[in-house]
Amino acid sequence: RKEVEQDPGPFNVPEGATVAFNCTYSNSASQSFFWYRQDCRKEPKLLMSVYSSGNEDGRFTAQLNRASQYISLLIRDSKLSDSATYLCVVRQGYQLIWGAGTKLIIKP
Amino acid sequence: DAMVIQNPRYQVTQFGKPVTLSCSQTLNHNVMYWYQQKSSQAPKLLFHYYDKDFNNEADTPDNFQSRRPNTSFCFLDIRSPGLGDAAMYLCATSRVRGPLTSGIGNEQFFGPGTRLTVL
């Protein structure tokens, strides 16, 4: 079992739709959680840190469920520019453990 | 703007010919990381420096070495590149290494990467 698992994707979604990404992690001692976005042939960029109480940034909402070891990312009113790969990342000590990413394709 | 800079952006080398990739940062972060990322895969941590303290991942081949002459610069040396070393090499920094209760300050910020081709 992978330490961080994400939906395999790709997700093909019409513009304006709501998209939900799911991520599970295996190590209950994991301490911090992040969503990164990576465009094709570019570097990963931090999208959001995920806090225990959940957090929202504009159209993006992140949730953490420690009991279920589950993290989610919701994108509302999706835009063409949201097309990218979304990577779930979990910190264990000094290490970041990366999911394989879920590719999102927004169609006009 | 504070940033992480990588040079060159594209590097072509021949099989077995040593190559050095460079990374610099203006963020004054204590920690610098080198990742290897192959197509459709997650970034794979090779090693990191916490200040001057070098930390190698257990599965990083000996072919990969690193130097950090000062806070701002970090280099990745590939002593004898093989075809399997063709990848994107990403440098990242973070202010601190370990976790913080707030989570703030331990995010990693990435440079644009160097895409390495081995002929």
Side-chain angles (χ1 to χ4, degrees):
Chain A
R1 182 185 171 192
K2 293 180 183 176
E3 291 192 73
V4 177
E5 293 206 56
Q6 297 186 239
D7 297 323
F11 289 178
N12 287 280
V13 173
E15 192 176 7
T18 295
V19 187
F21 297 98
N22 300 311
C23 173
T24 57
Y25 59 96
S26 60
N27 189 334
S28 60
S30 300
Q31 295 136 325
S32 312
F33 310 90
F34 309 93
W35 283 102
Y36 276 78
R37 169 198 168 126
Q38 187 170 25
D39 292 282
C40 187
R41 301 178 74 85
K42 297 285 182 70
E43 75 276 22
K45 290 186 178 177
L46 180 67
L47 181 65
M48 297 176 77
S49 299
V50 187
Y51 302 120
S52 296
S53 55
N55 45 304
E56 185 174 308
D57 182 4
R59 297 182 293 111
F60 299 84
T61 301
Q63 296 282 346
L64 167 64
N65 185 324
R66 284 190 183 268
S68 302
Q69 295 178 203
Y70 170 87
I71 308 155
S72 66
L73 174 69
L74 192 74
I75 305 177
R76 291 181 299 279
D77 187 24
S78 54
K79 312 291 185 191
L80 294 176
S81 57
D82 294 333
S83 296
T85 296
Y86 290 81
L87 296 137
C88 175
V89 185
V90 171
R91 177 178 288 281
Q92 295 171 11
Y94 70 82
Q95 286 195 326
L96 290 188
I97 312 297
W98 295 73
T102 302
K103 187 171 183 177
L104 174 66
I105 301 168
I106 304 295
K107 300 178 292 184
Chain B
D1 286 342
M3 55 174 45
V4 182
I5 302 162
Q6 290 188 246
N7 285 302
R9 295 293 308 279
Y10 300 91
Q11 175 73 58
V12 180
T13 191
Q14 291 180 328
F15 183 94
K17 186 174 180 182
V19 67
T20 294
L21 310 182
S22 91
C23 177
S24 63
Q25 54 126 345
T26 61
L27 297 159
N28 203 32
H29 282 174
N30 292 317
V31 195
M32 295 186 78
Y33 308 81
W34 279 105
Y35 287 88
Q36 179 194 66
Q37 187 177 27
K38 297 187 177 180
S39 182
S40 301
Q41 296 183 19
K44 179 181 181 297
L45 183 64
L46 296 173
F47 25 60
H48 76 276
Y49 273 95
Y50 179 61
D51 197 10
K52 294 181 181 179
D53 181 28
F54 177 71
N55 298 267
N56 199 30
E57 294 302 299
D59 57 353
T60 298
D62 292 341
N63 197 26
F64 293 88
Q65 303 286 321
S66 185
R67 298 168 282 136
R68 189 178 186 186
N70 54 53
T71 301
S72 301
F73 284 87
C74 195
F75 300 97
L76 169 62
D77 301 306
I78 308 176
R79 294 194 298 190
S80 181
L83 297 178
D85 297 328
M88 173 81 93
Y89 289 88
L90 295 158
C91 174
T93 73
S94 64
R95 189 168 63 84
V96 297
R97 181 170 67 170
L100 298 175
T101 305
S102 65
I104 297 172
N106 63 6
E107 296 93 343
Q108 291 186 9
F109 297 92
F110 285 81
T114 295
R115 186 164 294 279
L116 178 68
T117 300
V118 182
L119 301 177

